[in-house]
Every structure is written in C-alpha cells, then in structure tokens.
Amino acid sequence: MTDTSDLTITQPSDREITMTRTFDAPRELVFAAHTQAEHLRHWWGRGNPLDVEIDFREGGRYRHVEHVPDGGQYAFRGEFREIVAPERVVQTFEFEGMPGHVAVETLVFTEHDGRTVVTTTTSFDTREDRDGMVESGMAQGVAESYAALDRHLATLR
C-alpha cells in the first residue's frame, strides 16, 4: 500500500490498482470536475496546460494532452462504457505513448457529510501492465493531479 498525501493506493489483485481520495466538496461538483472539459483543464494534468476533448456519454470518447514545462507532451485517451451520474463512471484508459495497453477504470463517487470519496479501480490485461503503471510514477502524478483538483474545487465554493 502507498500513501501519498491524502491518496491511498492498494493492489487488491495481481491485475488491479485501487486509489482512494477524499475531497472537501459535494459529490455533484467532484463528479463534474471529472467529466467536464472546463474543469478537467484545471487539474487533470497535474495543473500543467491540458488540451481536452470529451464526448461524455456512453460510447463517447475522450482525449487529454498534457503539456509539460520542458516542452514535452503526453496524450491519453479512452472511451466511456458506463455512466451513472453522479455515482459511477466506467471508462477505458490508454497512454498513447504505449499503444495497445488499454486499462479499464471504474470511478465511484460517494458523499459523506458534504465531502466526496473518489475510489478508482483500474483493471489491467496483465500483471506486467499493472506493474508498469506502478513503476511509471503513477502515484506521484495522481497525487499532484488531485492536489491541483483540491485547488480548483476551492475556487468553486
């Protein structure tokens, strides 16, 4: 188990990663921040400039391109498989730098006393794909993105 600030990461099976993080905002707002381009641009890429294309509907697709300070770009894409607003999203996730390695993410949004817990379980095709994600610096990147989300949510309250 990894604990990066308020982010908890576990590996419940040899092909899964589960991340849990609590935000000081109502579920509808945290859900919107995960599903609307005008919010995603502020936090998803660790706060770096982000190009966002999103067709948020079942069968719709998304693509995010993060622009990092050294001039590099990192692109990610996926398809929405299931949407139960504001409770759950199931989507695919693929880093374009490693095409063909497609994971399935299930995001669950649970509200308790005005605070929202986001639990993301990512399922990989192989243990090697899961381990590669862990070794890529994923924990640090997600922690930085969620810290940027905290800052963005604070501007909306």
Side-chain angles (χ1 to χ4, degrees):
M1 180 171 87
T2 303
D3 186 5
T4 305
S5 85
D6 296 334
L7 176 68
T8 300
I9 300 173
T10 60
Q11 297 176 18
S13 78
D14 64 354
R15 295 185 324 150
E16 292 179 307
I17 297 170
T18 297
M19 300 178 288
T20 304
R21 176 71 150 67
T22 301
F23 297 93
D24 189 18
R27 176 167 70 172
E28 288 76 13
L29 185 56
V30 177
F31 186 86
H34 279 78
T35 60
Q36 296 175 8
E38 61 267 25
H39 296 299
L40 288 162
R41 285 186 185 95
H42 292 280
W43 71 270
W44 195 87
R46 301 175 289 171
N48 289 323
L50 189 73
D51 298 330
V52 177
E53 298 170 24
I54 188 167
D55 178 10
F56 188 64
R57 61 179 176 83
E58 290 184 8
R61 298 182 181 278
Y62 71 89
R63 184 169 188 262
H64 306 318
V65 180
E66 177 186 3
H67 301 274
V68 295
D70 69 5
Q73 297 181 23
Y74 298 97
F76 306 85
R77 65 180 171 212
E79 179 179 324
F80 298 105
R81 293 187 170 176
E82 178 186 343
I83 298 169
V84 181
E87 301 168 13
R88 174 183 161 97
V89 175
V90 179
Q91 64 191 24
T92 61
F93 176 86
E94 181 179 16
F95 171 51
E96 290 183 5
M98 294 186 65
H101 297 270
V102 180
V104 176
E105 298 180 327
T106 301
L107 292 84
V108 176
F109 302 81
T110 309
E111 185 172 341
H112 300 285
D113 299 323
R115 294 171 53 86
T116 303
V117 177
V118 178
T119 302
T120 304
T121 301
T122 305
S123 300
F124 299 86
D125 286 336
T126 66
R127 180 183 192 137
E128 292 76 22
D129 281 356
R130 185 215 52 194
D131 292 349
M133 181 66 78
V134 170
E135 293 165 8
S136 74
M138 172 212 66
Q140 186 65 31
V142 172
E144 290 173 5
S145 288
Y146 276 168
L149 177 53
D150 273 333
R151 292 189 298 274
H152 178 62
L153 291 169
T155 70
L156 302 173
R157 285 187 240 119

